[in-house]
Amino acid sequence: MAAAPAPPQAPPKPTWDPRRPEPPFPWLRPTIRIRLTLLYGGMFLIAGILLLSIIYLLAANALNVGSDLPFKVVTGTVSSESCNITSTQLPAADLNHALNECVNEQRQHALDNLLSRSLLALLGLAVIAFAFGYAMAGRVLSPLGRITRTARAVAGSDLSRRIELDGPDDELKELADTFDDMLERLQRAFTAQQRFVGNASHELRTPLAINRTLLEVHLSDPGAPVELQQLGKTLLATNERSEQLVEGLLLLARSDNQIVERKPVDLAEVAEQAVDQVHAEAEAKGVEIRGARTSAVVQGNGVLLERIALNLVQNAVRYNVAEGGWVEVTTEVQHGQAVLVVSNTGPVVPAYEIDNLFEPFKRLRGADRTGSDKGVGLGLSIVRSVARAHGGHIYAQPREGGGLVMRVTLPI
């Protein structure tokens, strides 16, 4: 038998959500606190510049820079050290011209001095204004921070948290009260859902278990007719399929929420247990299971994580080629995340069918809900729900030549 071709390397996990392209210049997107600080400080700076310009113009107008003196020297001697005028006898016209230049120079010097000192004062006040604006922006945005912390706690399935914001009836308090009302409705809805799941678990499992017991008892009777035994086996298979459907629906309903109680779980051990459970079925179908599994510890629910590995490995074995098929199961840590990769040979999967595979009751050959012995069509839906509940993602990629590469990433 020819050696099976090695599976292609799975693409590295992107550091951003592929559905949301990373902005080209992240530093051009400052936080709202920085934007408010720039707004407050910029408004103060503009107001200071306008005020300084008005004062400068008024001072220049009052000093009459460039105009002649309101008096004229007719006779006598004038001396000035600052204007470099000696006491030498000068004609009256030359003396008046020298005095005009001297006084205008002194006026311009005073205006320049006023402008430079005012700019320094404005710069110092601008620094204080930006610091004060940053502090005020933080105080104004503190209710939003409280809302964000509550929303983050709610994201962990703690629907009992409330903001209960105190203060005046402004826009932020209205937002907080609206958020509290929404949480109240969500809590009632989730409580009703959990109650329904619990009741449905009992009401649906009990009659199916009774039917299975009765069928097994009748099939154990050696004197039963062959037709009755054949009918019993058919009904028992149908009952088993119904039990799988009920278990899958209940697990899907439970796994849609976040996992509250988390414990260290090694994905390598989970994958090994899944491989052990599917080993007999793989041997019966002539499918080889291989792959290196290194330790990758995550925080989560061990039963649900085992369901991820089991569903993926089962699908990889069942949807495979008739001869010479293989399934590769690997676990490792990449870029600070635990990664479970399940690759297999199998039928060619069109790229446009990938998203449909994760929908409930969807299979590659359509949305058929019956007539297949490979499952009830909930395996990948459960995998996606459990991965999301643990804060992870699942990516599917068609293999060249047939089959799929299923890649599950979970935060460590």
Side-chain angles (χ1 to χ4, degrees), residues 306-370:
E306 183 179 346
R307 176 61 63 175
I308 288 182
L310 181 60
N311 286 0
L312 291 179
V313 177
Q314 281 182 342
N315 281 354
V317 171
R318 293 173 181 177
Y319 295 92
N320 216 303
V321 296
E323 295 181 359
W326 53 262
V327 175
E328 185 172 72
V329 184
T330 63
T331 59
E332 58 182 338
V333 176
Q334 289 184 357
H335 309 293
Q337 290 187 321
V339 181
L340 167 65
V341 181
V342 179
S343 308
N344 72 315
T345 53
V348 177
V349 181
Y352 58 82
E353 288 281 357
I354 293 297
D355 292 336
N356 293 333
L357 295 177
F358 295 97
E359 297 299 327
F361 306 111
K362 295 285 187 179
R363 296 188 182 91
L364 179 60
R365 298 184 183 276
D368 184 21
R369 297 175 62 162
T370 59

Side-chain angles (χ1 to χ4, degrees), residues 26-208:
W27 53 273
L28 292 178
R29 299 173 59 88
T31 62
I32 187 172
R33 185 173 186 180
I34 297 298
R35 293 199 296 268
L36 286 177
T37 301
L38 294 176
L39 177 62
Y40 296 154
M43 292 178 62
F44 173 82
L45 193 59
I46 293 175
I49 293 175
L50 291 176
L51 180 61
L52 178 59
S53 301
I54 293 174
I55 293 176
Y56 183 83
L57 293 176
L58 292 176
N61 185 54
L63 291 176
N64 293 323
V65 178
S67 61
D68 295 337
L69 294 175
F71 59 88
K72 291 185 179 181
V73 177
V74 178
T75 184
T77 60
V78 176
S79 63
S80 174
E81 295 181 357
S82 59
C83 293
N84 194 21
I85 300 177
T86 60
S87 58
T88 306
Q89 191 73 26
L90 295 174
D94 295 339
L95 186 58
N96 287 320
H97 179 71
L99 288 175
N100 283 333
E101 290 184 350
C102 177
V103 172
N104 285 327
E105 183 180 350
Q106 293 298 320
R107 292 172 177 173
Q108 188 62 45
H109 179 70
L111 285 177
D112 293 342
N113 191 25
L114 172 65
L115 181 61
S116 60
R117 292 177 182 271
S118 299
L119 288 175
L120 289 177
L122 180 62
L123 180 61
L125 290 176
V127 173
I128 297 176
F130 277 102
F132 183 75
Y134 185 81
M136 289 301 298
R139 185 174 182 84
V140 170
L141 294 176
S142 58
L144 288 179
R146 185 172 175 179
I147 295 174
T148 302
R149 290 189 295 271
T150 304
R152 188 177 294 114
V154 169
S157 295
D158 187 9
L159 293 176
S160 62
R161 295 287 299 271
R162 296 294 182 271
I163 300 174
E164 297 178 351
L165 186 64
D166 299 328
D169 293 332
D170 54 5
E171 290 81 359
L172 291 177
K173 190 175 188 305
E174 182 179 359
L175 174 62
D177 293 342
T178 303
F179 192 77
D180 284 342
D181 294 340
M182 181 186 67
L183 291 179
E184 184 69 27
R185 292 194 296 270
L186 285 176
Q187 186 179 21
R188 290 198 299 266
F190 277 107
T191 302
Q193 182 193 23
Q194 292 174 355
R195 189 181 302 113
F196 169 78
V197 170
N199 294 335
S201 174
H202 175 74
E203 296 295 333
L204 294 176
R205 286 172 174 170
T206 301
L208 291 174

Side-chain angles (χ1 to χ4, degrees), residues 172-314:
L172 291 177
K173 190 175 188 305
E174 182 179 359
L175 174 62
D177 293 342
T178 303
F179 192 77
D180 284 342
D181 294 340
M182 181 186 67
L183 291 179
E184 184 69 27
R185 292 194 296 270
L186 285 176
Q187 186 179 21
R188 290 198 299 266
F190 277 107
T191 302
Q193 182 193 23
Q194 292 174 355
R195 189 181 302 113
F196 169 78
V197 170
N199 294 335
S201 174
H202 175 74
E203 296 295 333
L204 294 176
R205 286 172 174 170
T206 301
L208 291 174
I210 294 175
N211 290 340
R212 184 180 69 252
T213 303
L214 292 176
L215 290 171
E216 290 175 348
V217 169
H218 284 290
L219 289 175
S220 64
D221 184 8
V226 177
E227 294 82 1
L228 186 59
Q229 288 186 355
Q230 184 64 33
L231 177 61
K233 291 180 180 179
T234 303
L235 292 177
L236 187 62
T238 303
N239 191 84
E240 182 180 359
R241 180 179 176 81
S242 299
E243 287 181 331
Q244 293 177 359
L245 177 60
V246 170
E247 290 292 336
L249 288 173
L250 295 177
L251 181 60
L252 183 61
R254 289 195 301 266
S255 62
D256 277 338
N257 297 329
Q258 292 286 330
I259 307 301
V260 179
E261 296 182 0
R262 297 172 180 262
K263 296 180 180 179
V265 180
D266 192 347
L267 278 187
E269 296 181 2
V270 168
E272 288 289 349
Q273 293 178 2
V275 170
D276 291 340
Q277 295 182 51
V278 188
H279 184 71
E281 182 178 357
E283 282 189 347
K285 291 181 176 293
V287 177
E288 176 192 1
I289 300 180
R290 64 193 189 191
R293 290 171 283 278
T294 59
S295 178
V297 180
V298 299
Q299 298 293 325
N301 185 291
V303 176
L304 294 179
L305 291 176
E306 183 179 346
R307 176 61 63 175
I308 288 182
L310 181 60
N311 286 0
L312 291 179
V313 177
Q314 281 182 342

